[in-house]
């Protein structure tokens, strides 16, 4: 079964608004990563947050991690039409399966101009 | 999509045929991965390789085979044993760092359709 689950499945907002996506996972992790996928394309890495970090910023992206709740959120501020894409969280595998990441089903974000 | 390429972009296969999807990377990465993505869903791991001449099954390896004879190449064969092969296939590579610090770089994908 999937380690990470994103919520909501789909999100539609107006340009300029903020978009928040959540990711929950089941087992302990070392790190959590967020990726973006434009329709019909490969995934692009956005940001990595380590288990000992609570918040991380990159441009208009803000990621939080709450290991006690086993959840993470991705906030995109001042959204643009070009942010329209699917966003996935990925968690590293337990040490016995080093090298594998597990992806959630993603949140599909639509930003209307 | 960086230094990782997949070919072809679109592939059509008749039932009962084997097909091979190509994945090449020039990033000097040790690890390579194959994922399957169905419409509206996330990625499911088919096979992965952390070093040349070695690979491991992922979550949905049945009906697929791989080889890793060269560091830069990780072809995936979809065999006739795969009952529902129509999907979007993504290849990725990474440095193979331990401790969950590994970032994967993805190719543009191959869309396979069984006729």
């Amino acid at each position: 079964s999937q380690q990470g689950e994103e919520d909501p499945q789909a999100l539609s907002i107006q340009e300029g608004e903020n978009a928040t996506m959540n990711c929950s996972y089941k087992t302990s992790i070392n790190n959590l990563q967020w990726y973006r996928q434009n329709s019909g394309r490969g995934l692009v890495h956005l940001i990595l947050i380590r288990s000992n970090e609570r918040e991380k910023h990159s441009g208009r992206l803000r990621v939080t991690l709450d290991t006690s709740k086993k959840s993470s959120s991705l906030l995109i501020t001042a959204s643009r039409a070009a942010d329209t894409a699917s966003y996935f969280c990925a968690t590293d595998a337990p040490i016995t399966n080093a090298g594998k990441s597990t992806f959630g089903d993603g949140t599909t974000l639509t930003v209307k101009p | 999509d960086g230094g990782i390429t997949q070919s072809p972009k679109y592939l059509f296969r008749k039932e009962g045929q084997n097909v091979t999807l190509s994945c090449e990377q020039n990033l000097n990465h040790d690890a390579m991965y194959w994922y399957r993505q169905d419409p509206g869903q996330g990625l499911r791991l088919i096979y992965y390789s952390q070093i040349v001449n070695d690979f491991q099954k992922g979550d949905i390896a049945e009906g697929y085979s791989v080889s890793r004879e060269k560091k830069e190449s990780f072809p995936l064969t979809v065999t006739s044993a795969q009952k529902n092969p129509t999907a979007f296939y993504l290849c990725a590579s990474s440095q193979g760092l331990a401790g969950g610090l590994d970032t994967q770089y993805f190719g543009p994908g191959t869309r396979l359709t069984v006729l």
Side-chain angles (χ1 to χ4, degrees):
Chain A
S1 63
Q2 296 289 74
Q3 160 79 311
E5 293 184 5
E6 287 88 346
D7 168 62
Q9 285 188 319
L11 181 60
S12 181
I13 60 174
Q14 293 294 135
E15 206 165 27
E17 293 179 340
N18 294 343
T20 300
M21 290 157 268
N22 303 296
C23 169
S24 59
Y25 55 92
K26 298 183 177 71
T27 61
S28 296
I29 59 171
N30 289 324
N31 304 287
L32 185 143
Q33 305 189 54
W34 284 91
Y35 288 80
R36 165 196 169 122
Q37 182 182 31
N38 284 57
S39 180
R41 304 289 297 275
L43 277 69
V44 175
H45 181 258
L46 294 176
I47 197 165
L48 178 152
I49 186 165
R50 302 187 187 206
S51 59
N52 62 354
E53 296 177 310
R54 292 296 166 257
E55 188 170 311
K56 200 162 183 180
H57 297 254
S58 177
R60 293 184 297 111
L61 305 180
R62 172 179 166 242
V63 170
T64 62
L65 179 64
D66 187 335
T67 52
S68 66
K69 295 181 179 178
K70 292 187 171 59
S71 68
S72 172
S73 67
L74 170 66
L75 168 67
I76 303 175
T77 60
S79 64
R80 305 167 182 169
D83 293 328
T84 294
S86 293
Y87 292 83
F88 296 88
C89 66
T91 53
D92 65 311
I95 193 168
T96 53
N97 290 311
K100 289 174 57 179
S101 288
T102 305
F103 290 81
D105 285 340
T107 292
T108 300
L109 172 66
T110 302
V111 181
K112 300 175 185 176
Chain B
D1 299 323
I4 181 165
T5 58
Q6 292 184 242
S7 62
K9 188 173 177 65
Y10 298 97
L11 185 57
F12 298 90
R13 188 194 93 173
K14 293 181 180 178
E15 282 194 34
Q17 285 183 335
N18 292 355
V19 289
T20 297
L21 282 60
S22 169
C23 178
E24 303 277 331
Q25 54 100 359
N26 63 1
L27 301 169
N28 199 34
H29 284 167
D30 285 318
M32 297 187 74
Y33 313 81
W34 274 106
Y35 295 93
R36 170 184 171 135
Q37 186 177 34
D38 291 285
Q41 296 188 25
L43 279 62
R44 290 186 290 170
L45 183 65
I46 305 173
Y47 268 98
Y48 67 105
S49 167
Q50 293 178 289
I51 196 168
V52 176
N53 293 322
D54 188 44
F55 49 83
Q56 287 79 41
K57 292 182 179 180
D59 301 316
I60 56 165
E62 186 175 350
Y64 300 98
S65 66
V66 293
S67 62
R68 187 83 187 279
E69 297 175 2
K70 298 187 295 182
K71 187 175 185 177
E72 58 270 20
S73 179
F74 191 41
L76 172 75
T77 296
V78 184
T79 75
S80 57
Q82 170 50 237
K83 298 306 178 189
N84 185 23
T86 294
F88 188 52
Y89 291 87
L90 285 163
C91 179
S93 70
S94 70
Q95 289 181 282
L97 300 175
L101 295 173
D102 222 17
T103 295
Q104 295 188 28
Y105 294 79
F106 284 80
T110 292
R111 190 168 298 280
L112 172 64
T113 302
V114 174
L115 303 173

PDB file of all heavy atoms in Angstrom, chain B residues 70-91:
ATOM      1  N   LYS B  70      24.863  -1.710 -18.158  1.00  0.00           N
ATOM      2  CA  LYS B  70      25.676  -0.495 -18.182  1.00  0.00           C
ATOM      3  C   LYS B  70      25.109   0.500 -17.178  1.00  0.00           C
ATOM      4  O   LYS B  70      23.902   0.541 -16.942  1.00  0.00           O
ATOM      5  CB  LYS B  70      25.666   0.125 -19.584  1.00  0.00           C
ATOM      6  CG  LYS B  70      26.251  -0.749 -20.655  1.00  0.00           C
ATOM      7  CD  LYS B  70      26.358  -0.004 -21.979  1.00  0.00           C
ATOM      8  CE  LYS B  70      24.991   0.355 -22.528  1.00  0.00           C
ATOM      9  NZ  LYS B  70      25.093   1.035 -23.849  1.00  0.00           N
ATOM     10  N   LYS B  71      25.967   1.323 -16.643  1.00  0.00           N
ATOM     11  CA  LYS B  71      25.542   2.284 -15.632  1.00  0.00           C
ATOM     12  C   LYS B  71      24.497   3.245 -16.182  1.00  0.00           C
ATOM     13  O   LYS B  71      23.576   3.639 -15.482  1.00  0.00           O
ATOM     14  CB  LYS B  71      26.756   3.074 -15.143  1.00  0.00           C
ATOM     15  CG  LYS B  71      26.475   3.988 -13.970  1.00  0.00           C
ATOM     16  CD  LYS B  71      27.766   4.639 -13.479  1.00  0.00           C
ATOM     17  CE  LYS B  71      27.518   5.464 -12.234  1.00  0.00           C
ATOM     18  NZ  LYS B  71      28.769   6.058 -11.702  1.00  0.00           N
ATOM     19  N   GLU B  72      24.631   3.616 -17.441  1.00  0.00           N
ATOM     20  CA  GLU B  72      23.759   4.646 -17.981  1.00  0.00           C
ATOM     21  C   GLU B  72      22.465   4.122 -18.568  1.00  0.00           C
ATOM     22  O   GLU B  72      21.618   4.893 -18.994  1.00  0.00           O
ATOM     23  CB  GLU B  72      24.515   5.445 -19.057  1.00  0.00           C
ATOM     24  CG  GLU B  72      25.033   4.613 -20.214  1.00  0.00           C
ATOM     25  CD  GLU B  72      26.440   4.070 -19.969  1.00  0.00           C
ATOM     26  OE1 GLU B  72      26.871   3.999 -18.799  1.00  0.00           O
ATOM     27  OE2 GLU B  72      27.093   3.710 -20.960  1.00  0.00           O
ATOM     28  N   SER B  73      22.261   2.810 -18.594  1.00  0.00           N
ATOM     29  CA  SER B  73      21.100   2.253 -19.279  1.00  0.00           C
ATOM     30  C   SER B  73      20.332   1.281 -18.401  1.00  0.00           C
ATOM     31  O   SER B  73      20.940   0.431 -17.725  1.00  0.00           O
ATOM     32  CB  SER B  73      21.581   1.544 -20.554  1.00  0.00           C
ATOM     33  OG  SER B  73      20.498   0.966 -21.236  1.00  0.00           O
ATOM     34  N   PHE B  74      19.006   1.361 -18.455  1.00  0.00           N
ATOM     35  CA  PHE B  74      18.165   0.486 -17.616  1.00  0.00           C
ATOM     36  C   PHE B  74      16.886   0.186 -18.395  1.00  0.00           C
ATOM     37  O   PHE B  74      15.809   0.705 -18.097  1.00  0.00           O
ATOM     38  CB  PHE B  74      17.858   1.203 -16.299  1.00  0.00           C
ATOM     39  CG  PHE B  74      17.232   0.342 -15.236  1.00  0.00           C
ATOM     40  CD1 PHE B  74      17.648  -0.965 -15.004  1.00  0.00           C
ATOM     41  CD2 PHE B  74      16.241   0.860 -14.399  1.00  0.00           C
ATOM     42  CE1 PHE B  74      17.090  -1.741 -13.998  1.00  0.00           C
ATOM     43  CE2 PHE B  74      15.671   0.089 -13.381  1.00  0.00           C
ATOM     44  CZ  PHE B  74      16.101  -1.206 -13.177  1.00  0.00           C
ATOM     45  N   PRO B  75      16.950  -0.665 -19.419  1.00  0.00           N
ATOM     46  CA  PRO B  75      15.759  -0.945 -20.225  1.00  0.00           C
ATOM     47  C   PRO B  75      14.739  -1.811 -19.488  1.00  0.00           C
ATOM     48  O   PRO B  75      15.101  -2.678 -18.700  1.00  0.00           O
ATOM     49  CB  PRO B  75      16.330  -1.683 -21.443  1.00  0.00           C
ATOM     50  CG  PRO B  75      17.609  -2.273 -20.949  1.00  0.00           C
ATOM     51  CD  PRO B  75      18.151  -1.326 -19.922  1.00  0.00           C
ATOM     52  N   LEU B  76      13.483  -1.542 -19.786  1.00  0.00           N
ATOM     53  CA  LEU B  76      12.368  -2.288 -19.188  1.00  0.00           C
ATOM     54  C   LEU B  76      11.636  -3.049 -20.283  1.00  0.00           C
ATOM     55  O   LEU B  76      11.244  -2.460 -21.289  1.00  0.00           O
ATOM     56  CB  LEU B  76      11.383  -1.322 -18.512  1.00  0.00           C
ATOM     57  CG  LEU B  76      10.077  -1.926 -18.003  1.00  0.00           C
ATOM     58  CD1 LEU B  76      10.311  -2.736 -16.724  1.00  0.00           C
ATOM     59  CD2 LEU B  76       9.046  -0.823 -17.727  1.00  0.00           C
ATOM     60  N   THR B  77      11.450  -4.336 -20.096  1.00  0.00           N
ATOM     61  CA  THR B  77      10.671  -5.140 -21.034  1.00  0.00           C
ATOM     62  C   THR B  77       9.318  -5.456 -20.416  1.00  0.00           C
ATOM     63  O   THR B  77       9.251  -5.967 -19.291  1.00  0.00           O
ATOM     64  CB  THR B  77      11.401  -6.444 -21.405  1.00  0.00           C
ATOM     65  OG1 THR B  77      12.614  -6.116 -22.097  1.00  0.00           O
ATOM     66  CG2 THR B  77      10.537  -7.305 -22.332  1.00  0.00           C
ATOM     67  N   VAL B  78       8.285  -5.124 -21.152  1.00  0.00           N
ATOM     68  CA  VAL B  78       6.925  -5.452 -20.742  1.00  0.00           C
ATOM     69  C   VAL B  78       6.570  -6.738 -21.475  1.00  0.00           C
ATOM     70  O   VAL B  78       6.485  -6.761 -22.703  1.00  0.00           O
ATOM     71  CB  VAL B  78       5.945  -4.324 -21.108  1.00  0.00           C
ATOM     72  CG1 VAL B  78       4.555  -4.643 -20.587  1.00  0.00           C
ATOM     73  CG2 VAL B  78       6.439  -2.989 -20.566  1.00  0.00           C
ATOM     74  N   THR B  79       6.389  -7.797 -20.750  1.00  0.00           N
ATOM     75  CA  THR B  79       6.162  -9.094 -21.384  1.00  0.00           C
ATOM     76  C   THR B  79       4.673  -9.357 -21.576  1.00  0.00           C
ATOM     77  O   THR B  79       3.815  -8.657 -21.013  1.00  0.00           O
ATOM     78  CB  THR B  79       6.777 -10.224 -20.552  1.00  0.00           C
ATOM     79  OG1 THR B  79       5.956 -10.457 -19.399  1.00  0.00           O
ATOM     80  CG2 THR B  79       8.195  -9.891 -20.110  1.00  0.00           C
ATOM     81  N   SER B  80       4.389 -10.394 -22.308  1.00  0.00           N
ATOM     82  CA  SER B  80       3.000 -10.769 -22.561  1.00  0.00           C
ATOM     83  C   SER B  80       2.315 -11.256 -21.284  1.00  0.00           C
ATOM     84  O   SER B  80       1.089 -11.356 -21.225  1.00  0.00           O
ATOM     85  CB  SER B  80       2.930 -11.848 -23.639  1.00  0.00           C
ATOM     86  OG  SER B  80       3.698 -12.974 -23.250  1.00  0.00           O
ATOM     87  N   ALA B  81       3.098 -11.532 -20.253  1.00  0.00           N
ATOM     88  CA  ALA B  81       2.525 -11.973 -18.981  1.00  0.00           C
ATOM     89  C   ALA B  81       1.897 -10.822 -18.204  1.00  0.00           C
ATOM     90  O   ALA B  81       1.123 -11.058 -17.270  1.00  0.00           O
ATOM     91  CB  ALA B  81       3.610 -12.628 -18.127  1.00  0.00           C
ATOM     92  N   GLN B  82       2.192  -9.599 -18.600  1.00  0.00           N
ATOM     93  CA  GLN B  82       1.602  -8.433 -17.944  1.00  0.00           C
ATOM     94  C   GLN B  82       0.200  -8.261 -18.525  1.00  0.00           C
ATOM     95  O   GLN B  82       0.037  -7.914 -19.703  1.00  0.00           O
ATOM     96  CB  GLN B  82       2.453  -7.202 -18.170  1.00  0.00           C
ATOM     97  CG  GLN B  82       1.836  -5.875 -17.733  1.00  0.00           C
ATOM     98  CD  GLN B  82       1.266  -5.854 -16.329  1.00  0.00           C
ATOM     99  OE1 GLN B  82       0.097  -5.560 -16.124  1.00  0.00           O
ATOM    100  NE2 GLN B  82       2.098  -6.213 -15.368  1.00  0.00           N
ATOM    101  N   LYS B  83      -0.803  -8.476 -17.710  1.00  0.00           N
ATOM    102  CA  LYS B  83      -2.185  -8.559 -18.197  1.00  0.00           C
ATOM    103  C   LYS B  83      -2.796  -7.218 -18.556  1.00  0.00           C
ATOM    104  O   LYS B  83      -3.702  -7.134 -19.379  1.00  0.00           O
ATOM    105  CB  LYS B  83      -3.062  -9.252 -17.148  1.00  0.00           C
ATOM    106  CG  LYS B  83      -2.644 -10.686 -16.868  1.00  0.00           C
ATOM    107  CD  LYS B  83      -2.575 -11.510 -18.147  1.00  0.00           C
ATOM    108  CE  LYS B  83      -2.099 -12.933 -17.860  1.00  0.00           C
ATOM    109  NZ  LYS B  83      -1.824 -13.665 -19.109  1.00  0.00           N
ATOM    110  N   ASN B  84      -2.342  -6.161 -17.947  1.00  0.00           N
ATOM    111  CA  ASN B  84      -2.923  -4.841 -18.206  1.00  0.00           C
ATOM    112  C   ASN B  84      -1.807  -3.818 -18.350  1.00  0.00           C
ATOM    113  O   ASN B  84      -1.608  -2.978 -17.465  1.00  0.00           O
ATOM    114  CB  ASN B  84      -3.866  -4.463 -17.061  1.00  0.00           C
ATOM    115  CG  ASN B  84      -4.579  -3.163 -17.323  1.00  0.00           C
ATOM    116  OD1 ASN B  84      -4.724  -2.745 -18.472  1.00  0.00           O
ATOM    117  ND2 ASN B  84      -5.000  -2.498 -16.277  1.00  0.00           N
ATOM    118  N   PRO B  85      -1.056  -3.870 -19.440  1.00  0.00           N
ATOM    119  CA  PRO B  85       0.138  -3.046 -19.553  1.00  0.00           C
ATOM    120  C   PRO B  85      -0.086  -1.602 -19.988  1.00  0.00           C
ATOM    121  O   PRO B  85       0.847  -0.794 -19.920  1.00  0.00           O
ATOM    122  CB  PRO B  85       0.964  -3.785 -20.611  1.00  0.00           C
ATOM    123  CG  PRO B  85      -0.060  -4.448 -21.472  1.00  0.00           C
ATOM    124  CD  PRO B  85      -1.197  -4.812 -20.569  1.00  0.00           C
ATOM    125  N   THR B  86      -1.280  -1.263 -20.430  1.00  0.00           N
ATOM    126  CA  THR B  86      -1.527   0.109 -20.887  1.00  0.00           C
ATOM    127  C   THR B  86      -1.357   1.061 -19.723  1.00  0.00           C
ATOM    128  O   THR B  86      -2.076   0.977 -18.722  1.00  0.00           O
ATOM    129  CB  THR B  86      -2.941   0.238 -21.471  1.00  0.00           C
ATOM    130  OG1 THR B  86      -3.023  -0.551 -22.660  1.00  0.00           O
ATOM    131  CG2 THR B  86      -3.262   1.684 -21.818  1.00  0.00           C
ATOM    132  N   ALA B  87      -0.378   1.961 -19.838  1.00  0.00           N
ATOM    133  CA  ALA B  87      -0.065   2.881 -18.743  1.00  0.00           C
ATOM    134  C   ALA B  87       1.016   3.845 -19.213  1.00  0.00           C
ATOM    135  O   ALA B  87       1.546   3.731 -20.323  1.00  0.00           O
ATOM    136  CB  ALA B  87       0.415   2.122 -17.506  1.00  0.00           C
ATOM    137  N   PHE B  88       1.354   4.762 -18.339  1.00  0.00           N
ATOM    138  CA  PHE B  88       2.442   5.720 -18.547  1.00  0.00           C
ATOM    139  C   PHE B  88       3.623   5.216 -17.726  1.00  0.00           C
ATOM    140  O   PHE B  88       3.482   4.974 -16.521  1.00  0.00           O
ATOM    141  CB  PHE B  88       1.975   7.100 -18.082  1.00  0.00           C
ATOM    142  CG  PHE B  88       2.902   8.224 -18.402  1.00  0.00           C
ATOM    143  CD1 PHE B  88       3.381   8.422 -19.691  1.00  0.00           C
ATOM    144  CD2 PHE B  88       3.282   9.131 -17.437  1.00  0.00           C
ATOM    145  CE1 PHE B  88       4.226   9.471 -20.002  1.00  0.00           C
ATOM    146  CE2 PHE B  88       4.122  10.201 -17.730  1.00  0.00           C
ATOM    147  CZ  PHE B  88       4.593  10.363 -19.014  1.00  0.00           C
ATOM    148  N   TYR B  89       4.773   5.025 -18.375  1.00  0.00           N
ATOM    149  CA  TYR B  89       5.935   4.468 -17.699  1.00  0.00           C
ATOM    150  C   TYR B  89       7.004   5.543 -17.528  1.00  0.00           C
ATOM    151  O   TYR B  89       7.402   6.207 -18.488  1.00  0.00           O
ATOM    152  CB  TYR B  89       6.501   3.276 -18.491  1.00  0.00           C
ATOM    153  CG  TYR B  89       5.576   2.084 -18.448  1.00  0.00           C
ATOM    154  CD1 TYR B  89       4.543   1.940 -19.373  1.00  0.00           C
ATOM    155  CD2 TYR B  89       5.709   1.114 -17.459  1.00  0.00           C
ATOM    156  CE1 TYR B  89       3.682   0.856 -19.320  1.00  0.00           C
ATOM    157  CE2 TYR B  89       4.851   0.027 -17.396  1.00  0.00           C
ATOM    158  CZ  TYR B  89       3.836  -0.087 -18.330  1.00  0.00           C
ATOM    159  OH  TYR B  89       2.974  -1.165 -18.265  1.00  0.00           O
ATOM    160  N   LEU B  90       7.470   5.676 -16.308  1.00  0.00           N
ATOM    161  CA  LEU B  90       8.470   6.686 -15.985  1.00  0.00           C
ATOM    162  C   LEU B  90       9.739   6.026 -15.479  1.00  0.00           C
ATOM    163  O   LEU B  90       9.702   5.136 -14.634  1.00  0.00           O
ATOM    164  CB  LEU B  90       7.931   7.629 -14.911  1.00  0.00           C
ATOM    165  CG  LEU B  90       6.894   8.648 -15.390  1.00  0.00           C
ATOM    166  CD1 LEU B  90       6.132   9.224 -14.219  1.00  0.00           C
ATOM    167  CD2 LEU B  90       7.573   9.754 -16.177  1.00  0.00           C
ATOM    168  N   CYS B  91      10.849   6.499 -16.000  1.00  0.00           N
ATOM    169  CA  CYS B  91      12.158   6.061 -15.557  1.00  0.00           C
ATOM    170  C   CYS B  91      12.777   7.194 -14.743  1.00  0.00           C
ATOM    171  O   CYS B  91      12.539   8.382 -15.035  1.00  0.00           O
ATOM    172  CB  CYS B  91      13.021   5.724 -16.760  1.00  0.00           C
ATOM    173  SG  CYS B  91      14.696   5.192 -16.363  1.00  0.00           S
TER     174      CYS B  91
END
